[in-house]
Amino acid sequence: MTVRRDFQEPARCRPDLVIGREELCTAAHEQLTRGGSVLLHGPAGIGKSTVLRALEAEYAGAAHTVLRCSATESESHLPFLALADLLGLVLDRVSARLPSAQLTALESALTGRGESTLQRDGLALRLAVLSALRALAAEGTVLVVADDLQWLDPASAELLGFAARRLGDTPVQLLCAVRTEGQEYDRHLRASPPDTLAVRLGPLTRPQVSALLDHRGYTGLPRSTVREIHRTSGGNPLFALELGRALAESPTPPRPGEPLPVPTSLRALVLSRLDMLSVEARRTLLVASAGARPTPALLHAAGRENAEAECAQAAELGLLATEPEGPAVRFAHPLISAALYAEAPAHERRAAHAALSTAASDPIERARHLALATTGADPEAAARLAEAAALARDRGAPSVAAQLGLLAARHTPAGSVPGPDERRLQAAEDAITAGEVDLARDIAREVLTRATVPADRVRAWIIVIDTAGHTMTEVDAVFPQALADAGDDPRLLALVHYQVAWRALIVEGDFTEAREAAAHSAQLAERGGDRRTELLALAFQAQIETLMGHPAAPVTIKRAMKEPQDPRVACHHNGAGSARFRWLVMGDQLGEARVTVTALLREVRRRGSVESEVHFLRGLAETELRAGYCGRALELARESLALARDSGIGETASAMLTSLAEASGGDVDRALALAREAVEHAEQDGDQMYLSRALGALGYAQLVAGDPAGAVRSLRRVRELEQGLGITDPARGRWHGDLAEALVRIGAPGEAQDVIDVTREHALRLGRESVLAVLDRAEALVRAAHGELEGALSQLTSAQDRLAKLGYGLEEARAAFALAQLRNPRPGPTAYDEAARLFRRCRALPWLRQVDAAVTAPEPDPEPVVPAPAALDALEGLASMERQVAALVMEGATNREIAARLFISVKTVEATLTRVYRKLGIRSRVDIVRLAAGRRAK
């Protein structure tokens, strides 16, 4: 395809960042920094010029001279034009250093005076360009920036290639971009310096297209629309932006099921060969563009008798990508199909859909085509569309069900039962299931503008609340309106009070109020005969009681699991199955929890429920993380986060869980970034529940990163939050052992013991065996800090054995690591073998790096100096930790060795020594040794 020059992206629209090209830009920039050259290539509109400008802006400052040219198709016949762009402004700087014959030929080519040609002055011109570049390079690095190499006039291309191949070590670098439709960049690469890096730009992903549209101001587009823009554009950023612009300028959005409006500029771009088709071939392609999965057989059934020959004609023109005898008719680019459909008159589109409404074999497809072929209200079409929507829902295609439901509502006459608004609300609920919350919210608000039936209004209010997610403070005004519309109807009141329970938890952080509201909702639903809402309310009540450590939790879970069950609730992320899974995880039944959540995940995937899929992916990742399968947990967590970001559902929770997985089995810096992101989002949303979880993840990542002081700050906040929320079950966040360990590392073993004692009391009451084992591991570190080495070793050995039996692989490995550190103050090649083996089994890479650091720590002096008793008298005014650190300094121990011996961080050693210097009136560790020697001499 050919992109007209006036359609290319203007410089004024250049973004401040290159979206979706970060890795490519990094590789290209590193190549330039090394002194190499870069050739960007890819199809029209893929963003080559944008990346070229970004790289030039970033690197040009390092070059002494920058030469630029940008060719156009309309000027490609003018000889030496690109050469004039490159060298015209610098000729005066190099003219004195060129031989006269070369200078004469070059001046003639650049100015147009005379009749210089490659045939006549070929050698002189070639050598002149090479000499000019070498002369410029003698002053400093030269960067040649050339865009659209495919339109370079042949003479300039030949001269530039001649020079590039002969520059050798001369500091001249090329940064070029060329349009290619495959891997056909070889001839351009051959004309580049030998060290040129070829970088191909491919299509953007859907999230990247979404970010690009947002960055250019096309915000607020429903996710379903962004998905369609990505599909239609094929990930091409230029095409995506033009489609976004067309939508922004269109007074009415496309009807459900219709392709996007394609602007005239894109139609002209992709349909320039359409006039070469026969009228009948064009009609055949229109039918193909209207179909979801067109095949020759389908086209025949739709009345296109000569489909094969007409498709062959289109394939020869490059409009179709497959041979007509293939299994499917595939357009060379999705945009061709959309543009062809947009170009056709409305009556021809309806005729194509009418033909397909009888030709298609799938009932959902037939119903969709019937709707698009029908105008106005039509009860028969509406009924067929509603049936098709139900079928799509059962097939696990809620997004399709939502589209069909909206089409059904469009064709449903007023006064029908069910009415148009009822069908719209069903479509909105399907959209929520599909993760298209923006679409659902828009539908609900539209219904509220005219609905008068209380059931419809309450149902719409619930959709508005549901689409707010964890930002429920934004819809506070909805609750009184929903309660007013519910009146005294127990079924409607149950729906509202179920949402009130969630608000109490998320916004107020009040577990007691949330539990009471959930119980009230269950009672109202039972009275109104609404089993679905009753089951949801009971499941929510059970989860709250589990977090509270309430003794009624097991009983409530059993009530939520009793028959009859609603299949929609059984696998719902807030249903009884989810509550049971949470109970199993907190009760150390990891094997059964894995089986349960895997089955739930399989079912929600079958149903196409995006929010539940995100939730259960996190649940499975958490289970694998507890079991010590860090690699698998990291894969699942990343998948959950990608899906959450793509759908806009559960991003805070997924970022929090992925942070835990990264800190255990991936990249600690990424773990810290994700945890801080989760904390920021939770604070912005006013979500106290997830704020405590996010801070817990941050504290753990800080501990793994070697920042115990930061971990203490984060985890102290968690402790305060959970005390305020009334969360007493330590198996909920499992941060208590990390806080105790971090406190020991910063020299606060007393506070650490207090954390352990309080937490142990709750863990004993609830029977949380794994929590108790982790607390014992932390308590062993407290005992070691107090000098009780034998007792600490015994307690650590017991904790490691218990954690192994419970199946907590990572916690077992951490206990083994602590044992090695206490047993082996002098590191050696085999001292940490057991810890390394266990961490390796878990694929706990960050922890393995800590083991490597311990193994490679320098050996202490073999014969430490023992301080005289009198020397220690000078330390009597110091605190306990300060005395221990000072005494080890007197022995000649390094800061790292002191940290290992006392099980604290090196930073804590340094801070403690600073206090010692201040109290003793000295300046360095050497003064401590001198103090000891002086006391000994007396």
Side-chain angles (χ1 to χ4, degrees):
M1 289 180 284
T2 300
V3 179
R4 297 201 315 273
R5 191 68 188 173
D6 62 358
F7 182 64
Q8 295 184 4
E9 179 189 13
R12 61 184 172 81
C13 293
R14 185 169 63 215
D16 299 323
L17 70 162
V18 183
I19 294 171
R21 310 297 191 193
E22 292 80 6
E23 291 185 11
L24 295 179
C25 284
T26 298
H29 186 265
E30 289 175 354
Q31 172 74 358
L32 293 169
T33 303
R34 289 192 294 266
S37 297
V38 173
L39 176 66
L40 306 170
H41 66 100
I46 204 66
K48 302 179 297 298
S49 297
T50 301
V51 174
L52 184 89
R53 288 194 295 268
L55 287 170
E56 179 190 352
E58 188 174 3
Y59 183 73
H64 185 271
T65 303
V66 180
L67 308 176
R68 300 177 179 86
C69 72
S70 182
T72 63
E73 184 179 12
S74 61
E75 299 169 342
S76 61
H77 65 285
L78 300 174
F80 306 120
L81 183 62
L83 187 66
D85 287 342
L86 289 171
L87 298 178
L89 297 179
V90 296
L91 183 60
D92 291 344
R93 287 169 51 187
V94 299
S95 58
R97 284 173 279 181
L98 298 184
S100 58
Q102 294 180 21
L103 179 59
T104 299
L106 186 58
E107 285 180 333
S108 177
L110 296 182
T111 62
R113 293 192 296 270
E115 297 182 359
S116 181
T117 66
L118 278 180
Q119 288 75 23
R120 175 179 165 181
D121 303 312
L123 181 58
L125 271 174
R126 288 175 172 85
L127 293 175
V129 173
L130 181 59
S131 298
L133 290 174
R134 284 174 174 165
L136 291 170
E139 303 171 359
T141 301
V142 176
L143 178 65
V144 178
V145 182
D147 198 3
D148 284 317
L149 283 184
Q150 74 278 1
W151 302 133
L152 245 64
D153 62 274
S156 296
E158 166 61 26
L159 292 170
L160 190 59
F162 176 87
R165 291 190 295 271
R166 288 164 176 80
L167 286 168
D169 294 332
T170 306
V172 176
Q173 299 171 257
L174 270 65
L175 173 58
C176 305
V178 62
R179 180 183 307 169
T180 56
E181 290 298 336
Q183 296 298 319
E184 53 190 59
Y185 61 92
D186 289 351
R187 66 184 180 89
H188 298 286
L189 195 59
R190 287 194 294 271
S192 302
D195 61 348
T196 299
L197 172 69
V199 177
R200 177 166 179 79
L201 276 66
L204 299 180
T205 64
R206 190 184 354 163
Q208 289 166 349
V209 166
S210 177
L212 178 64
L213 292 167
D214 286 345
H215 186 70
R216 295 303 179 86
Y218 304 129
T219 56
L221 295 174
R223 292 183 184 275
S224 56
T225 301
V226 173
R227 183 174 60 243
E228 187 62 21
I229 289 175
H230 177 258
R231 187 198 66 79
T232 304
S233 68
N236 185 299
L238 183 62
F239 299 167
L241 287 171
E242 282 299 296
L243 291 168
R245 181 178 62 81
L247 280 169
E249 294 175 353
S250 175
T252 56
R255 294 169 60 191
E258 284 188 344
L260 297 174
V262 180
T264 304
S265 54
L266 284 183
R267 295 189 205 180
L269 170 67
V270 300
L271 298 180
S272 57
R273 288 156 286 184
L274 199 61
D275 291 340
M276 302 173 68
L277 284 175
S278 67
V279 174
E280 292 303 313
R282 185 165 178 162
R283 287 176 179 165
T284 295
L285 287 192
L286 175 60
V287 175
S289 71
R293 293 173 297 276
T295 63
L298 178 65
L299 295 176
H300 270 293
R304 308 311 303 165
E305 297 178 357
N306 299 315
E308 287 86 350
E310 290 158 355
C311 286
Q313 183 186 0
E316 289 176 2
L317 294 173
L319 294 168
L320 295 180
T322 58
E323 296 298 326
E325 62 268 16
V329 176
R330 185 166 63 87
F331 285 89
H333 192 283
L335 191 59
I336 296 175
S337 173
L340 181 65
Y341 187 92
E343 187 81 2
H347 70 276
E348 289 187 13
R349 294 187 209 172
R350 288 195 295 272
H353 286 297
L356 289 168
S357 69
T358 57
S361 59
D362 185 84
I364 292 177
E365 195 65 14
R366 288 199 303 271
R368 186 179 75 87
H369 288 301
L370 176 62
L372 295 174
T374 304
T375 58
D378 188 320
E380 181 183 353
R384 284 182 58 183
L385 284 162
E387 291 171 3
L391 181 59
R393 198 176 304 119
D394 291 340
R395 287 182 181 178
S399 180
V400 175
Q403 287 190 10
L404 293 168
L406 288 175
L407 287 170
R410 184 184 296 271
H411 294 293
T412 300
S416 300
V417 179
D421 281 344
E422 190 172 347
R423 283 179 167 155
R424 287 189 182 92
L425 291 171
Q426 178 61 64
E429 290 165 355
D430 287 330
I432 290 177
T433 302
E436 297 173 6
V437 293
D438 296 337
L439 175 61
R441 184 188 303 112
D442 291 344
I443 295 170
R445 292 198 179 279
E446 179 192 352
V447 169
L448 285 166
T449 60
R450 59 173 176 269
T452 56
V453 178
D456 287 348
R457 291 189 60 80
V458 171
R459 193 174 173 186
W461 288 126
I462 297 302
I463 290 169
V464 171
I465 295 170
D466 273 342
T467 56
H470 284 255
T471 59
M472 295 187 82
T473 51
E474 297 179 1
V475 292
D476 269 350
V478 167
F479 287 91
Q481 297 178 71
L483 285 168
D485 284 330
D488 57 1
D489 186 327
R491 292 174 63 92
L492 300 181
L493 286 170
L495 290 169
V496 180
H497 281 282
Y498 176 67
Q499 298 294 339
V500 169
W502 275 102
R503 186 192 177 283
L505 176 67
I506 293 173
V507 178
E508 303 297 337
D510 191 327
F511 275 51
T512 301
E513 183 182 343
R515 176 177 179 267
E516 291 174 355
H520 186 46
S521 173
Q523 292 168 359
L524 288 166
E526 183 181 18
R527 193 193 319 161
D530 182 357
R531 182 60 173 165
R532 180 177 185 274
T533 303
E534 180 187 4
L535 291 171
L536 283 171
L538 286 171
F540 182 58
Q541 180 184 343
Q543 293 202 47
I544 294 297
E545 290 172 348
T546 299
L547 293 174
M548 295 173 69
H550 197 286
V555 175
T556 308
I557 290 177
K558 287 181 181 178
R559 288 179 61 200
M561 300 291 291
K562 283 180 63 176
E563 296 294 339
Q565 286 289 317
D566 185 317
R568 295 173 298 170
V569 177
C571 64
H572 194 274
H573 57 278
N574 289 325
S578 181
R580 181 172 180 273
F581 160 72
R582 179 55 49 195
W583 177 259
L584 291 170
V585 169
M586 295 175 69
D588 300 327
Q589 300 179 60
L590 296 182
E592 194 172 349
R594 181 184 294 108
V595 172
T596 299
V597 74
T598 300
L600 289 167
L601 180 59
R602 186 185 306 115
E603 179 61 18
V604 297
R605 279 176 166 166
R606 187 188 72 79
R607 292 176 176 271
S609 177
V610 174
E611 184 172 6
S612 293
E613 182 179 357
V614 171
H615 180 89
F616 291 131
L617 274 170
R618 286 199 307 269
L620 184 54
E622 180 184 353
T623 306
E624 302 294 26
L625 194 58
R626 300 290 175 218
Y629 301 119
C630 299
R632 173 64 174 153
L634 184 56
E635 292 173 3
L636 290 163
R638 286 174 174 172
E639 184 181 354
S640 169
L641 181 59
L643 184 58
R645 285 184 166 158
D646 192 24
S647 62
I649 296 173
E651 292 183 73
T652 301
S654 294
M656 175 274 299
L657 197 280
T658 308
S659 171
L660 290 172
E662 291 282 0
S664 298
D667 184 278
V668 179
D669 289 337
R670 179 164 169 75
L672 290 166
L674 286 169
R676 291 186 175 112
E677 174 191 327
V679 169
E680 181 181 355
H681 287 175
E683 288 177 333
Q684 289 174 351
D685 296 344
D687 187 339
Q688 299 296 300
M689 283 286 292
Y690 270 110
L691 177 58
S692 69
R693 296 294 304 274
L695 284 167
L698 178 58
Y700 174 66
Q702 289 168 323
L703 184 65
V704 178
D707 179 15
V712 167
R713 287 193 298 272
S714 298
L715 297 178
R716 277 174 175 162
R717 285 188 65 192
V718 178
R719 192 182 190 192
E720 294 171 1
L721 279 168
E722 293 202 353
Q723 286 175 345
L725 290 168
I727 298 175
T728 60
D729 193 333
R732 184 252 184 181
R734 298 178 181 268
W735 48 266
H736 313 76
D738 292 335
L739 175 56
E741 180 176 334
L743 286 165
V744 171
R745 290 193 186 187
I746 66 168
E751 184 181 347
Q753 188 64 57
D754 178 64
V755 171
I756 292 167
D757 291 342
V758 172
T759 308
R760 182 179 281 134
E761 181 181 349
H762 293 300
L764 284 168
R765 175 175 58 85
L766 297 167
R768 303 306 192 208
E769 292 299 326
S770 63
V771 175
L772 290 168
V774 168
L775 292 174
D776 281 353
R777 185 188 69 203
E779 189 170 49
L781 305 182
V782 175
R783 297 177 72 177
H786 288 309
E788 302 174 28
L789 186 58
E790 292 303 318
L793 291 173
S794 175
Q795 193 168 17
L796 271 175
T797 302
S798 172
Q800 181 183 345
D801 290 343
R802 287 153 58 202
L803 288 166
K805 290 175 182 176
L806 289 167
Y808 284 77
L810 182 58
E811 300 293 356
E812 175 196 357
R814 288 179 62 180
F817 186 31
L819 267 172
Q821 288 176 303
L822 293 186
R823 284 174 175 163
N824 303 283
R826 291 191 176 97
T830 61
Y832 292 89
D833 280 357
E834 174 70 2
R837 180 185 68 81
L838 292 173
F839 281 134
R840 199 172 292 112
R841 183 184 70 183
C842 295
R843 289 181 59 189
L845 302 182
W847 288 103
L848 269 173
R849 286 190 280 272
Q850 289 197 30
V851 172
D852 290 341
V855 169
T856 57
E859 290 278 354
D861 294 335
E863 296 180 2
V865 177
V866 179
L872 296 176
D873 293 343
L875 310 179
E876 289 179 357
L878 302 179
S880 173
M881 179 62 70
E882 293 166 350
R883 284 199 303 273
Q884 293 179 66
V885 170
L888 288 170
V889 169
M890 290 178 184
E891 293 179 11
T894 66
N895 286 3
R896 183 181 292 276
E897 291 160 5
I898 295 171
R901 291 275 293 274
L902 298 181
F903 213 82
I904 58 179
S905 70
V906 174
K907 288 184 179 179
T908 301
V909 174
E910 294 169 350
T912 304
L913 279 174
T914 300
R915 294 195 299 272
V916 170
Y917 300 155
R918 185 173 63 252
K919 290 183 179 181
L920 297 181
I922 57 179
R923 295 184 177 180
S924 70
R925 60 190 296 126
V926 175
D927 292 334
I928 295 179
V929 177
R930 286 175 179 166
L931 175 63
R935 293 283 185 174
R936 191 178 298 111
K938 294 179 182 179

